[in-house]
Amino acid sequence: MTPRVEACYHASQAAEKALKAILISLDREPRQTHALEALVAALSAAGVAPEPLAALRLNALSRMNSATRYPDGDQAPSELFDRVDADAAITTAKAVLAFVRSLLRPAA
């Protein structure tokens, strides 16, 4: 894997695991999925207002999880993801992590 493909994959994983951690902290069993939108829907069903995540490109980040590891068609992952994709993935993952941290911090 190239560094930019790895960045896309790890950004996706970071966002997924953070969302699942919040669900677990709410005594909810997270679905076995890489679909970030489904995890956000589960958060909403658990009473968490996910509005800060609405503007994020979570579907694109979700697709990076599989597309970076399991090529579909004749293009290698290194041909599918460039530096712009990696930067966008990292930015989105950081926003998800900031949202999760805000839920974990006690109210002042």
Side-chain angles (χ1 to χ4, degrees), residues 1-2 4-10 12-13 16 34-35 58-82 85 89:
M1 251 193 252
T2 65
R4 66 181 177 267
V5 172
E6 286 185 38
C8 292
Y9 171 72
H10 290 299
S12 175
Q13 284 288 290
E16 176 187 334
H34 299 300
L58 296 178
N59 283 332
L61 193 56
S62 294
R63 284 191 300 274
M64 289 178 180
N65 185 291
S66 296
T68 55
R69 296 178 298 145
Y70 307 112
D72 184 23
D74 60 354
Q75 282 189 302
S78 61
E79 296 171 358
L80 296 174
F81 302 103
D82 58 19
D85 295 317

Side-chain angles (χ1 to χ4, degrees), residues 19 22 25-26 43 48-50 53 96-107:
L19 293 172
I22 287 296
S25 77
L26 297 170
L43 281 175
V48 175
L53 302 177
V96 171
L97 292 172
F99 172 75
V100 167
R101 280 188 196 107
S102 74
L103 296 175
L104 294 174
R105 290 193 185 123

Side-chain angles (χ1 to χ4, degrees), residues 16-33 35-36 38-48 100 103-104:
E16 176 187 334
K17 301 310 179 196
L19 293 172
K20 287 180 176 180
I22 287 296
L23 286 167
I24 290 168
S25 77
L26 297 170
D27 292 324
R28 302 289 176 120
E29 183 71 26
R31 289 180 41 199
Q32 291 185 332
T33 183
L36 300 177
L39 296 172
V40 171
L43 281 175
S44 182
V48 175
V100 167
L103 296 175
L104 294 174

